[in-house]
Amino acid sequence: MRVEKSVQRDVTILSLIGELDGMTAAEVYTDIQADLPERGDLLLDLGHMTYVSSAGLRILLLVYRQARLRRQRLALAAVPPDVHAVMSATGFLDSVHVAESVQDGLEAFGR
C-alpha cells in the first residue's frame, strides 16, 4: 500500500493504492498524517484500493475524525464496489460524501 498526494483546485487528494489491512495500516496512517493539509478540503481517492480490512477502516475513521476536528470537508472518490460494500455495512458511508470519481469529488467541493 502506498499513498500519493496531489493538489487540484485547492483540494488535497490522497490516493490510496493497494491493500489497506493490518499489515499496512500503521504505515499508511503515518503517511496520511504527513500529507494532511492544515486546512482546506480533503479527497481520498480509493480507486486503486484493492482491499480494506477492519484495521484499514479504523484508519479511514481516524482520518475522518481528524478532518472534522480541523473543520475540513472530507469526501471519498472512486470507491471500489467490494470496499464500498464493507464501508456501507459498517455505516461509515453515512458520514462522508462519496463521489464516483476524483473529478466528481472536486465538483462536490464546488471546485
Side-chain angles (χ1 to χ4, degrees):
M1 164 66 65
R2 69 179 196 272
V3 178
E4 293 182 354
K5 178 183 177 182
S6 63
V7 178
Q8 292 185 37
R9 301 183 219 164
D10 296 327
V11 176
T12 298
I13 302 167
L14 298 179
S15 300
L16 281 60
I17 303 164
E19 295 183 1
L20 182 54
D21 58 18
M23 298 291 290
T24 61
E27 182 178 345
V28 168
Y29 187 65
T30 299
D31 291 347
I32 290 174
Q33 291 300 304
D35 289 334
L36 280 178
E38 286 297 318
R39 53 186 174 175
D41 298 325
L42 177 62
L43 181 63
L44 296 180
D45 174 13
L46 305 185
H48 299 285
M49 177 183 280
T50 55
Y51 174 77
V52 63
S53 70
S54 59
L57 287 173
R58 181 177 177 276
I59 297 304
L60 296 176
L61 181 61
L62 290 172
V63 171
Y64 165 74
R65 288 181 179 164
Q66 190 164 13
R68 283 191 56 147
L69 287 173
R70 292 180 179 194
R71 299 184 186 275
Q72 295 172 306
R73 293 187 296 175
L74 171 70
L76 306 177
V79 181
D82 53 338
V83 174
H84 189 282
V86 171
M87 295 175 125
S88 180
T90 63
F92 183 75
L93 297 182
D94 297 339
S95 303
V96 297
H97 178 78
V98 179
E100 290 291 321
S101 66
V102 169
Q103 182 63 35
D104 289 344
L106 292 171
E107 290 175 9
F109 288 133
R111 309 285 165 90

